[in-house]
Amino acid sequence: NHTSARRKVKAMSSLYRSSDEKVIAGVCAGIAHKLNLNVTGLRWVVALTTLFLSGVPVLVYLVLWAILKERATKDVVDV
């Protein structure tokens, strides 16, 4: 279905790395901001998941770091 594929592309293109709240690269902060989640909570989930999944989330994080554009999140309101 072309419509669902376009929605997925649009959703991925609206993801970004945060330049304001980053600890390493801003990936968790950007995702948390986009999904309206607590940044610290998401970071804990990623850290604990990394321990149980033998580092697979680290690879996902590095890929997202490479492909997501950085954007300031201080004054951004997503609709």
Side-chain angles (χ1 to χ4, degrees):
N1 189 342
H2 295 301
T3 305
S4 63
R6 287 182 185 148
R7 285 184 194 151
K8 288 178 185 178
V9 169
K10 185 177 181 184
M12 283 300 292
S13 66
S14 64
L15 286 175
Y16 53 85
R17 295 183 295 120
S18 172
S19 63
D20 299 324
E21 303 175 75
K22 64 182 175 181
V23 171
I24 298 174
V27 173
C28 287
I31 292 171
H33 187 266
K34 179 64 182 168
L35 299 176
N36 200 26
L37 298 172
N38 179 287
V39 178
T40 304
L42 181 61
R43 288 180 180 133
W44 273 105
V45 168
V46 170
L48 293 173
T49 304
T50 300
L51 292 175
F52 293 109
L53 295 179
S54 304
V56 171
V58 172
L59 294 174
V60 173
Y61 188 93
L62 292 173
V63 168
L64 290 174
W65 185 355
I67 64 173
L68 294 179
K69 294 180 181 179
E70 191 172 57
R71 174 173 121 176
T73 57
K74 196 182 315 182
D75 299 322
V76 173
V77 176
D78 284 327
V79 179

